[in-house]
Amino acid sequence: MKNNSQSDRQKFIRHAIAIAFILQAVIIGVKGNLDVESGKPALDVIQGMLFQGIELVLKANRSKK
């Protein structure tokens, strides 16, 4: 019984982390869109979004280990 409860808790935590990463990716996209709309150069915005996206992928990869 205790093992099953611990397994359920671990699944919940993994799902919560996955949702947090997805939300972070959406926020990066929305912020990039708002930056372009506010007049920032698109190339600068894209570069910033790429860096943030790479950082997010690295965090996600580290969380798997």
Side-chain angles (χ1 to χ4, degrees), residues 27-65:
I27 290 169
I28 290 169
V30 169
K31 183 182 178 306
N33 206 1
L34 291 173
D35 286 347
V36 170
E37 292 291 325
S38 71
K40 290 186 181 177
L43 289 178
D44 291 345
V45 173
I46 292 169
Q47 182 182 13
M49 289 174 68
L50 281 172
F51 287 139
Q52 291 173 356
I54 290 168
E55 196 175 308
L56 182 61
V57 169
L58 292 174
K59 278 188 210 176
N61 191 31
R62 280 188 225 119
S63 76
K64 285 172 100 176
K65 294 178 182 180

Side-chain angles (χ1 to χ4, degrees), residues 17-34:
I17 290 171
I19 290 169
F21 283 133
I22 291 167
L23 285 174
Q24 195 170 355
V26 168
I27 290 169
I28 290 169
V30 169
K31 183 182 178 306
N33 206 1
L34 291 173

